[in-house]
C-alpha cells in the first residue's frame, strides 16, 4: 500500500546559505513553555544575574523539559506572554550584558549506561527540534529496549523554504555521527535509517559517506512528496511498517528522531552546553535577504528580519515554521523558541486568503490525506455535534499537515475545521472519563 500525499514547491532558497551568527540582542524573552507537556517552573527572580547555560526553569512533571539562559545578563522581569495559538506562558526576560559568560555548571555529563544517557538527554533541555517540541528523553526512555528494531533519523525536511536541518547535515555531520554512536551504544539498536528526500543531493552524499563508515546505518532516499517527514509516513516509507491508528512508532519497533535533535544531544554530551541557541531559516516573499541564522533562544524574531536587511514589502503574515504546518505569530516581538526551525514572512499577495466557495464533494481532500481520513465526514460530524461519530472516524488522528486544504478546489479552511473537531472530541472524551470515574 502506498501512502498518499502531495507535491509542493520546494523553494529551498537558503540551502547553500551557511548560517550566520546574529549579533547579541539587547533583551531576550525565554518562555517556560517551549515543549509539549507541563511548563517549566522559573528558578530565578527579578534582579538575578544569569550566565549562559544556567538553569532558569526546572522541569516539573514527567512530560516536561528544563529551560536554560541563552545569554548572560540580569533578569529584568518575569512576564506573561501570548504564544502562537493564543496560549499564555510565563517568560523570563533578561537584559544582556554582552559578556556571554558561561555558567560554571556547564560541563559534559557523565554517561556510562542507558539510564545516565536518558538523564543526560533530559538535562540537555532538548525537545523535538523539527517543530514538534516533544521532550526527547521521554521518547528515548523505552522500558524494553528489545522492542526497538530501528531508529529512523528524520532528515526529510519536507516543508517548503525550511533548510535548517539541511545545514545541520552539512555543517554538523560529526555530531550526527556521534549521536548515532550514542544510540547504538546505549539503546543497543542494530539498525539506524536516515530518511532524506531526493531533493537534497549534498545531504544525501554527506550522510551516505557517514553511513558507509559505520555498521548498521543506511540512508534511504525518499520521494519529495509532502508530508514525507510525518512520523507515520516516514516509518512506512523507510521500514515498510504501518503504525496502527492511535499508535506510536514504538508499536512497530521504531523510534523517530529529527537529525538536528540528535546533533544537539551529541553536542551537549560532548560539551555540556544545553540547548541555548537555534539555527533558523528566515525566508518568504516579504524578506529582502533570506538567510540561515544562529540566534539565542528568546531573541525577538524582529531581530532576525533586521539581520536579513528588513522587509522588501510590508509583511502581512509571519509564521513559525513553513507554509504547510506553520503557525502565525502574534507579534514581531515573539521570541525564537526551542522548536523554531524557521520564520517565514509573506507579502500581501501571498498572505491573502483565497476566496472560499461551497464544497462540491469531489473527494480530493480524502484522496490525498496521508492518514486516509475523510475531512468531509469530520466536518459534518463537527457541525452536527456528533462526538461519537468524530470518535468513530478517528478525527483525533489528523496531524494537521494541510494536504486537504492544499488540494481543495473550493479553498475551504479544512485544517481549521479539523482542529476545532479535534478540540471538541478531546473535550468530549475528557467528560466521558470524568463521568466514569464519578460513577466508581
Amino acid at each position: 500500500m502506498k501512502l498518499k500525499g502531495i507535491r509542493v514547491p520546494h523553494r529551498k532558497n537558503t540551502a547553500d546559505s551557511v548560517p550566520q551568527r546574529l549579533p547579541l540582542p539587547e533583551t531576550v524573552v525565554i518562555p517556560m513553555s517551549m515543549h509539549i507537556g507541563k511548563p517549566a517552573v522559573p528558578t530565578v527572580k527579578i534582579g538575578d544575574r544569569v550566565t549562559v547555560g544556567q538553569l532558569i526553569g526546572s522541569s516539573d512533571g514527567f512530560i516536561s523539559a528544563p529551560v536554560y539562559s541563552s545569554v548572560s545578563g540580569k533578569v529584568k522581569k518575569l512576564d506573561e506572554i501570548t504564544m502562537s495559538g493564543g496560549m499564555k506562558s510565563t517568560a523570563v526576560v533578561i537584559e544582556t550584558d554582552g559578556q556571554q559568560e558561561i555558567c560554571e555548571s556547564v560541563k559534559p555529563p557523565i554517561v556510562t549506561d542507558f539510564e545516565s544517557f536518558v538523564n543526560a538527554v533530559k538535562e540537555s533541555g532538548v525537545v523535538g527540534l523539527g517543530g514538534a517540541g516533544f521532550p526527547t528523553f521521554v521518547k528515548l526512555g523505552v522500558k524494553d529496549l528489545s522492542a526497538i528494531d530501528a531508529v529512523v533519523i528524520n532528515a526529510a525536511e519536507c516543508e517548503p523554504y525550511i533548510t535548517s536541518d539541511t545545514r545541520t547535515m552539512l555543517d554538523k555531520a560529526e555530531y550526527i555521527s556521534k549521536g548515532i554512536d550514542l544510540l547504538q551504544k546505549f539503546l543497543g539498536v542494530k539498525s539506524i535509517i536516515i530518511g532524506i528526500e531526493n531533493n537534497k543531493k549534498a545531504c544525501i552524499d554527506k550522510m551516505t559517506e557517514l553511513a558507509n563508515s559505520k555498521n548498521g546505518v543506511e540512508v534511504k532516499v525518499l520521494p519529495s512528496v509532502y508530508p514525507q517527514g510525518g512520523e507515520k509516513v516516514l516509518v512506512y516509507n523507510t521500514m515498510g511498517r504501518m503504525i496502527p491508528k492511535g499508535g506510536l512508532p514504538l508499536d512497530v519497533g521504531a523510534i523517530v528522531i529529527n537529525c538536528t535533535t540528535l546533533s544537539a544531544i551529541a553536542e551537549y554530551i560532548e560539551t555540556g552546553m544545553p540547548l541555548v541557541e537555534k539555527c533558523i531559516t528566515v525566508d518568504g516573499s516579504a524578506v529582502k535577504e533570506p538567510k540561515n541564522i544562529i540566534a539565542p533562544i528568546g531573541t525577538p524574531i524582529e531581530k532576525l528580519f533586521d539581520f536579513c536587511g528588513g522587509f522588501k514589502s510590508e509583511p502581512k503574515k509571519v509564521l513559525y515554521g513553513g507554509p504547510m504546518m506553520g503557525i502565525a505569530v502574534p507579534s514581531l516581538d515573539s521570541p525564537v523558541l526551542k522548536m523554531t526551525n524557521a520564520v517565514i514572512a509573506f507579502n500581501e499577495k501571498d498572505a491573502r486568503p483565497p476566496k472560499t466557495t461551497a464544497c462540491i464533494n469531489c473527494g480530493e481532500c480524502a484522496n490525498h490525506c496521508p492518514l486516509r481520513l475523510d475531512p468531509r465526514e469530520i466536518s459534518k460530524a463537527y457541525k452536527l455535534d456528533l462526538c461519537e461519530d468524530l470518535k468513530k472516524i478517528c478525527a483525533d488522528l489528523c496531524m494537521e499537515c494541510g494536504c486537504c486544504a492544499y488540494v481543495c478546489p473550493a479553498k475551504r479552511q479544512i485544517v481549521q475545521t479539523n482542529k476545532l473537531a479535534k478540540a471538541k472530541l478531546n473535550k468530549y472524551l475528557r467528560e466521558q472519563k470524568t463521568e466514569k470515574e464519578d460513577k466508581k
Side-chain angles (χ1 to χ4, degrees):
M1 183 177 68
K2 183 179 179 181
L3 290 183
K4 304 173 185 179
I6 58 174
R7 295 192 180 274
V8 295
H10 296 149
R11 296 176 183 166
K12 304 291 188 178
N13 309 313
T14 56
D16 296 326
S17 171
V18 177
Q20 301 176 41
R21 191 167 290 277
L22 184 79
L24 195 65
E26 295 177 356
T27 304
V28 295
V29 179
I30 305 179
M32 295 293 101
S33 184
M34 293 188 286
H35 51 265
I36 292 173
K38 196 171 182 181
V41 177
T43 58
V44 292
K45 60 183 184 299
I46 295 172
D48 284 354
R49 184 174 186 273
V50 295
T51 48
V52 180
Q54 178 179 331
L55 182 72
I56 60 172
S58 62
S59 55
D60 184 28
F62 174 62
I63 300 180
S64 187
V67 177
Y68 298 89
S69 178
S70 59
V71 297
S72 62
K74 183 179 289 188
V75 176
K76 184 179 180 181
K77 61 179 175 178
L78 300 181
D79 203 2
E80 184 178 72
I81 65 170
T82 301
M83 306 286 283
S84 56
M87 300 294 290
K88 300 286 187 180
S89 174
T90 300
V92 177
V93 182
I94 304 169
E95 285 185 339
T96 61
D97 60 16
Q99 298 179 34
Q100 287 303 85
E101 180 184 343
I102 305 298
C103 183
E104 60 183 16
S105 66
V106 172
K107 49 191 172 185
I110 298 173
V111 180
T112 57
D113 55 16
F114 171 71
E115 185 177 351
S116 58
F117 171 63
V118 172
N119 187 63
V121 175
K122 178 179 181 179
E123 294 305 313
S124 72
V126 172
V127 300
L129 301 183
F134 189 79
T136 307
F137 81 94
V138 179
K139 180 181 288 190
L140 295 179
V142 180
K143 292 182 179 179
D144 180 9
L145 293 177
S146 67
I148 308 171
D149 293 329
V151 172
V152 179
I153 298 176
N154 188 348
E157 199 166 47
C158 57
E159 276 260 17
Y161 293 103
I162 306 175
T163 64
S164 50
D165 281 350
T166 291
R167 295 316 312 180
T168 295
M169 287 183 274
L170 296 179
D171 304 328
K172 293 194 171 187
E174 74 276 13
Y175 281 120
I176 295 178
S177 176
K178 290 174 181 177
I180 288 172
D181 292 342
L182 290 168
L183 294 176
Q184 290 181 323
K185 181 176 181 180
F186 295 114
L187 271 67
V189 289
K190 295 180 180 179
S191 174
I192 292 183
I193 305 168
I194 306 172
I196 311 178
E197 282 195 323
N198 61 14
N199 62 347
K200 303 174 181 67
K201 185 179 184 305
C203 295
I204 292 168
D205 291 345
K206 193 83 169 180
M207 292 297 103
T208 300
E209 181 184 352
L210 184 160
N212 289 341
S213 69
K214 299 178 183 295
N215 293 321
V217 181
E218 64 176 314
V219 172
K220 287 216 171 178
V221 180
L222 307 168
S224 298
V225 178
Y226 177 85
Q228 190 67 258
E231 279 193 342
K232 290 181 171 63
V233 177
L234 190 64
V235 168
Y236 182 80
N237 287 339
T238 54
M239 297 178 64
R241 300 183 183 183
M242 182 71 73
I243 298 173
K245 286 186 177 181
L248 298 170
L250 193 60
D251 294 328
V252 294
I255 287 179
V256 179
I257 186 167
N258 170 267
C259 61
T260 298
T261 303
L262 183 61
S263 171
I265 290 169
E267 191 165 0
Y268 169 73
I269 289 177
E270 179 174 287
T271 68
M273 179 60 72
L275 182 63
V276 295
E277 64 181 21
K278 284 299 304 291
C279 175
I280 307 129
T281 299
V282 183
D283 203 345
S285 55
V287 178
K288 273 189 180 178
E289 303 168 14
K291 296 177 182 177
N292 284 306
I293 298 173
I294 298 172
I297 289 171
T299 299
I301 62 172
E302 183 176 26
K303 299 295 183 183
L304 305 182
F305 292 119
D306 289 345
F307 193 60
C308 290
F311 299 112
K312 58 185 178 184
S313 59
E314 184 181 355
K316 291 297 182 179
K317 179 169 285 188
V318 179
L319 304 176
Y320 281 132
M324 297 303 295
M325 293 187 72
I327 299 177
V329 301
S331 164
L332 292 182
D333 292 331
S334 298
V336 169
L337 308 174
K338 286 183 179 183
M339 56 279 201
T340 304
N341 54 7
V343 288
I344 311 294
F346 294 114
N347 60 25
E348 183 176 7
K349 178 185 175 183
D350 291 340
R352 187 186 307 129
K355 183 180 179 181
T356 301
T357 57
C359 174
I360 60 173
N361 205 35
C362 65
E364 284 297 285
C365 54
N367 289 339
H368 288 84
C369 176
L371 300 185
R372 299 183 177 272
L373 301 175
D374 191 335
R376 297 168 300 177
E377 293 181 354
I378 294 173
S379 176
K380 180 181 178 181
Y382 167 71
K383 290 176 180 177
L384 295 177
D385 203 26
L386 301 175
C387 292
E388 276 298 324
D389 284 3
L390 287 174
K391 181 180 177 181
K392 188 182 301 182
I393 60 180
C394 303
D396 53 338
L397 291 186
C398 172
M399 60 179 174
E400 302 167 21
C401 66
C403 288
C404 51
Y406 188 85
V407 300
C408 177
K411 306 302 179 186
R412 294 168 60 238
Q413 295 183 337
I414 301 174
V415 178
Q416 289 89 330
T417 300
N418 287 359
K419 283 186 176 183
L420 292 170
K422 288 167 65 178
K424 183 187 287 278
L425 175 57
N426 288 335
K427 181 182 178 183
Y428 171 72
L429 294 175
R430 287 196 302 270
E431 289 173 348
Q432 274 195 324
K433 183 178 178 181
T434 300
E435 287 178 10
K436 287 181 180 179
E437 290 175 350
D438 289 343
K439 289 178 180 178
K440 288 181 180 179

